[in-house]
Amino acid sequence: MKPSALLIAALLAQSIPAIAAEAPPLRYDIYVRGAFNGWGTDNQLAYKGKGIYETDILVSPGNHAFKIGSKDWNAEWVANPSASVAVALGTSYPLALEAGPEDYLFTRQTATFRFRVDVSDPAKPVLSVSRVETPASGPAADPHAGAGATASLSFPTWDGKQETARFSVQDPQAPLRSYAHSTTMQLRDPGPQYTTYKEDATLPQVRSGNLAFDALFALAAHEMRLDSVKEIRDGNYNGNNAIPCDCFETGEKWHYVWTRDLSYAADLGLAMLDPQRVRNSLLFKLSGWRDGIQQAPQVAGTKDGLQIAQDTGSGGSWPVSTDRITWAFAAEEVLKSLPPAERPAFAAAALKALSNTIDNDRIAAFDKATGLYTGEESFLDWRDQSYASWIPEDLASMASSKALSTNAGHYKALTLAAMLAHEQKDEARAKRYAEWARELKRAINARLWLEDAGMYSSLTAAHFDGAPMHKFDWLGQSLAIVTGIADGKRAQRILASYPHGPMGAPVIWPQQLDMPVYHNRAMWPFVTAYGLRAAVLGRNVAVADAAYDSLMRGAALNLSNMENLEWLSGQPLLLDEAHPKLIGPVINSKRQLWSVGAYIGMVVRNVFGVSATNEGIALQPFVTAKLRGGMFAAANEIALTNLRLQGHALNIKLRLPAVAGKEANGVYAVERILLNGKPAGANIKWSELTADNQVEIVLGKLDAGEQAIRRVNADPYVETPAVFGPHEPVIADLKRNAAGNAMLSIEAKDTGKLHYNIYRDGKLVASKLPAGLWTDRRASATACYAVEAVFEGSGNRSHHSRPRCLDAGVEIPATDPRVNASVALAGPSPRFDEPHLANWGKPQDRFSVRDIKLPDAGGYAVQVRYHNGANQVNLGISGGVKWLAVKDESGAIVAQGVVQLPHARIEKAHTPIVYSTPLAARLKAGRAYRIEMSDFYNMSYLQSNSSFSAAGGAEGTSNRFDIYGVRLLRVR
C-alpha cells in the first residue's frame, strides 16, 4: 500500500466508528464428536454469526453415533436424553443440555455433511444436518502405472464374490523399496482406494519372492513409524493440549497411550523393534500420588504410591477394571530387548510399580473364597457388548465377577514381579509373588475350566451367583495358553474347540443379540495374533493357518492394520440398512497400534521364529505347508534382514523344502541352524552374537502337527442361533410356599426351541426346563438363584439372569437414628426419591451404623445402598472405592475390606438406587454390630490424572457418592 493510501486509511479509521466483531454466544468451544472421528475434537463447530455454529465433515457409509459436546464433556447436548434419535437431513432438533444416549446419522455412501447448531438462545440450541454437494472428481489415478514389478492377492468374499489387493514397486532391486498398494474393497474411511509407503532403513525388511508378502510387512513397519510420536493428546487430558512424550500413540483416531493397547502391542511385536519407545510409553502409564494425598492406613506400597494407571472406563475405572496389570506383558518384553546398560533402571522402576500395583490389587480385587481376582474382562470394556443386558444398570455386579483374561494378566504380573524381585535380591518378595502365582494358576484351572466345553469360561457370574458361565473369548483362551496356565492337553482342547468363521476367529463366543458390531460379532487382529501364538505353542496347524490368512487378508484389503473387522464377512463396516442400529464395527481406526504389533509379530516371531529371551534369542519358525505352497511358492528361501536386537544386527534366512503336494498339510520342522556359518542351537546367547550376524535356518520334514479346528458359518446379516446366544431370562418372581419350598418363575425373552438351567448359589441344580414355574424342594432360607437360557440346536447359552435371593435382608436407611455421618441429610428431589447423605466420601468423611442386631446367625453380605453420578457408567476415574469394617460389641473387627461403588445411571425422575459390592461377614444372632466406612483410594488420587477434564481430575480427587443406607443380606 502506498503512503498516501495509508494516510487516507488512518483518517477513515478515526472518522468511522469501529464495528465490533460479534461475540459468540458460547464462552467455550463446541464440537461434533462421534464414531466418525474417534469421539475426539477434530471437528470444532465454527461460529458463523447470528448464533450459528457450523462444521463440515466427510462421513463414510454407516450409522454413526455422535453428540455435540465441549472439549471436557462438561457440555453435552443430545436430541433426547432418554433415547437415541436418528437424525433426518434438513430437520431441526432441539437439543437437551444434558448427558444422554448418542444420536445417529445414517448414510449409504461417503458424503460431506454440514452440522449446524443454532445457539441464538443458548438455553435452547437447535441441531440440523444437511448434505453438502461436492463436485464430482475426475478419474482416479493408477498408482501402479510404470511399475517395475507387480503382485496381487485375491480373497473370496462371504457372498461368493472376490476382492483383490494389488502391490507394485518401481524398482524391485532397490535396497529399500517404495510400494504402491490398492484394493477393490470399499474402505471404511473416506479416501483413495490406494496408499503408498516406503521401507525404513532403521527397521527390518522382508524378501520372500512374493512382492505382496514383502509389502505387507513394510506396511506394518511404516504404520509403526506413523504411530511413533513426539507428543500425545486426548480430549480428556490437559485440555486436549499436547503432552510431550516419545511414545506410541494408539492409532489414527486415538492419539493417546492406553495401558492395555500399548502392552499387548508391545508384547506381540513392538518391544523387539523399538524397546526404548515402548519403555517410554510404559513409564508414561506409571504414576504416584498427587501432592497432598494422605494414604489410608489400609493402602499398601511405597510412600510415593508409584503404580500402573488403570485408564478411564467402566464405572469409573479401577477396581471395576483391573487389567492395568497387562502392563507386565510389555514390561517383560522390554526387559528382554533393552540394551544392557538401560535395563537396570527400568527393571527397578518396573518392580516398584508392579509391587505397589499387585499389593493394592490384592487388597481391593482379590477374592479369597475363589482364589481369583475380580474385574472386567480385559479389552472387552464395552459392557453392553459382552455382558448381560442388566449389568450396565448394576456395575457393582460386573466389578465382583472374575474374568479369565484379566486373571491371566494378574498371573503374568505375579510371575514377572517374582523374577524381578529375585534378580534384585529381594527373596522374601520373590517367594511371596511366586506362591501367589502358583495359587492363582491352580484357582483358574479349578474354577474356570469347563470340561464339557473344552475351554475356560471367560467370566463368572456376579455376586450371589458366581458360576462360571458358558461364555468364551479368544484373547482369554490364548493368554491361558501363552502364559502356561493351560497345560498341554487343555491347550490342545482349547485350540480344537474355539469356533472359527470363514474369515477367522471372533473375539467372543457366542455372539450377542441386538448388539452392533464392535467387540460383539468382530475379529480383532491383535486377538487373532495371540491365537496364532497359542496355535504355534500347541503346534495346531489349522488354527495357525486360519490366523495367518486372517491377518494378511485384513491388512491387504484395508490398506492398513485396522482396529477390527466384522467376523463373518471380514468387512471393516457391515452396512445393514434393514437394521441400522446393528451396523458396525461402530468405531474403527487405521494403523491401530496393537494390530500393527500383531502383524509385525506374525512375521518376525511366528514365520521367521525370532523372539528375544533374557539370555539371547530363540529361533522357532512356524512355516506351514499352506504358507509354503501359497505365499512362498515361488521361492526356495525367504529372508528377514536388518533386524536389530541389543546392538546386534541379524539377517535371518529360511531355506525352504520343496513344495509338497496340494493335499499336504502340516508344519516344517527345523533341520539345522547356522550362525555365521557354524552350527548353532535354537537358543543363541547374546554373547554368541557379533555386531553383524548371518543366521540360516534350514527347514526339513513336514510334521502333521495338530489339525483339529472348529468351523462355524452363518449369514452375517442374520441373527441365527447357530452363532448367537439367547437373551438372558428374568426371574419374574421368587418366594417360599407354605411348605418352605422355593418357587421360582422363569420369564423368557426369546421364542423358539430353548430350555433353561437353574443355578442355586452358583451351582447347577436343574436343567432343560421350560419357562414358567419351578419349585425347589431343597432350598435353604438363604438360597440365591440365577437362570440361563440355552438354544437347543446349537447349545449356545445366554448370560445368567440377575440373581435373586430368598432372604429379604436387613435394610437400614440413611434416616435411621443409628446412622452417624460427617455430612448432613439431603431431602428427596425429582431425580432422587429418598433422603440421603449427599456427596459423602471426602478422605476425612466418616460413616457408621451402630447397634445392628440380626435375627439369625450366618454368612451375610454387607452392602452400601448408594448412587454415584460423578460421571457416566462408561467413563471416568471416580468410581467409589472405600474401606468397610464390621465390628462387634467389643470393638473387635469381624470383617473388613474394600467395597466398590461404581458410577450409576441418572434418570430425569426416580433414578434407581443401587448396591455396592458385598463385604462377606459371618455374624451371630442378637449381638450388636457396628458398620464403619472410611477412605481407600481410586485412580483420581494419582498425579497422572490431575489434568483429567471431568470428576477427579483438574478440580481435585473425586471418591464421593450419595449414601441411602446399608443392607445386610443373609446368603449362607
Side-chain angles (χ1 to χ4, degrees), residues 283 285-296 299-310 318 324 348-361 936-945:
L283 292 174
K285 299 309 298 184
L286 301 183
S287 179
W289 305 121
R290 291 191 191 199
D291 291 341
I293 292 294
Q294 297 295 317
Q295 291 185 46
V299 174
T302 56
K303 187 176 181 180
D304 62 3
L306 185 74
Q307 60 192 277
I308 305 161
Q310 181 75 43
W318 182 87
R324 59 179 179 162
L351 178 58
K352 183 179 183 180
L354 281 168
S355 293
N356 288 340
T357 300
I358 287 168
D359 291 349
N360 282 298
D361 281 359
F936 195 66
Y937 80 96
N938 63 16
M939 288 293 104
S940 76
Y941 290 41
L942 299 187
Q943 177 61 33
S944 63
N945 284 319

Side-chain angles (χ1 to χ4, degrees), residues 219-253:
L219 171 65
H222 170 72
E223 294 193 318
M224 173 183 160
R225 282 290 177 243
L226 291 177
D227 286 334
S228 303
V229 296
K230 293 288 185 183
E231 59 187 34
I232 55 174
R233 66 176 70 228
D234 182 81
N236 292 313
Y237 285 92
N238 199 35
N240 200 38
N241 296 310
I243 302 170
C245 186
D246 282 327
C247 292
F248 283 112
E249 68 175 8
T250 303
E252 184 180 72
K253 294 179 181 176

Side-chain angles (χ1 to χ4, degrees), residues 144-332:
H144 307 292
T150 62
S152 64
L153 295 175
S154 293
F155 302 92
T157 63
W158 72 274
D159 54 355
K161 300 175 183 177
Q162 185 171 276
E163 300 283 12
T164 299
R166 293 188 66 205
F167 307 84
S168 66
V169 291
Q170 296 295 315
D171 181 4
Q173 303 306 318
L176 295 174
R177 293 173 177 167
S178 295
Y179 295 93
H181 176 180
S182 64
T183 183
T184 60
M185 191 179 73
Q186 177 62 49
L187 296 177
R188 165 70 187 230
D189 295 319
Q193 290 290 117
Y194 69 90
T195 187
T196 58
Y197 42 89
K198 298 179 180 179
E199 292 177 332
D200 188 322
T202 66
L203 292 174
Q205 298 92 42
V206 169
R207 295 294 181 263
S208 67
N210 186 322
L211 189 68
F213 188 81
D214 301 353
L216 289 174
F217 183 74
L219 171 65
H222 170 72
E223 294 193 318
M224 173 183 160
R225 282 290 177 243
L226 291 177
D227 286 334
S228 303
V229 296
K230 293 288 185 183
E231 59 187 34
I232 55 174
R233 66 176 70 228
D234 182 81
N236 292 313
Y237 285 92
N238 199 35
N240 200 38
N241 296 310
I243 302 170
C245 186
D246 282 327
C247 292
F248 283 112
E249 68 175 8
T250 303
E252 184 180 72
K253 294 179 181 176
W254 310 104
H255 307 301
Y256 201 63
V257 181
W258 306 111
T259 301
R260 70 176 71 93
D261 300 58
L262 165 72
S263 299
Y264 289 134
D267 181 41
L268 286 167
L270 299 188
M272 195 186 304
L273 268 58
D274 196 343
Q276 285 90 349
R277 188 174 296 275
V278 171
R279 175 200 57 200
N280 297 346
S281 305
L282 288 171
L283 292 174
F284 178 79
K285 299 309 298 184
L286 301 183
S287 179
W289 305 121
R290 291 191 191 199
D291 291 341
I293 292 294
Q294 297 295 317
Q295 291 185 46
Q298 297 85 9
V299 174
T302 56
K303 187 176 181 180
D304 62 3
L306 185 74
Q307 60 192 277
I308 305 161
Q310 181 75 43
D311 292 317
T312 61
S314 296
S317 188
W318 182 87
V320 175
S321 302
T322 63
D323 74 337
R324 59 179 179 162
I325 41 74
T326 57
W327 190 92
F329 286 101
E332 184 175 62

Side-chain angles (χ1 to χ4, degrees), residues 97-119:
L97 305 181
E98 59 183 288
E102 301 93 343
D103 297 317
Y104 283 86
L105 173 67
F106 175 77
T107 177
R108 293 181 180 85
Q109 57 190 29
T110 298
T112 299
F113 293 89
R114 179 162 295 158
F115 291 77
R116 186 175 192 255
V117 180
D118 185 342
V119 197

Side-chain angles (χ1 to χ4, degrees), residues 260 264 314 321 323 376-387 398 403 405-406 458-459 472-476 498 506-509 518-520 522 524 526-527 594:
R260 70 176 71 93
Y264 289 134
S314 296
S321 302
D323 74 337
E376 185 177 30
E377 294 174 279
S378 183
F379 125 82
L380 298 172
D381 60 341
W382 185 351
R383 300 126 305 278
D384 312 64
Q385 291 269 315
S386 52
Y387 281 83
M398 185 172 77
S405 52
T406 300
S458 282
L459 68 164
F472 310 98
D473 77 286
W474 196 212
L475 178 63
Y498 195 86
V507 296
I508 65 171
W509 180 264
Y518 187 59
H519 295 134
N520 190 49
W524 288 61
F526 94 92
V527 177
W594 48 21

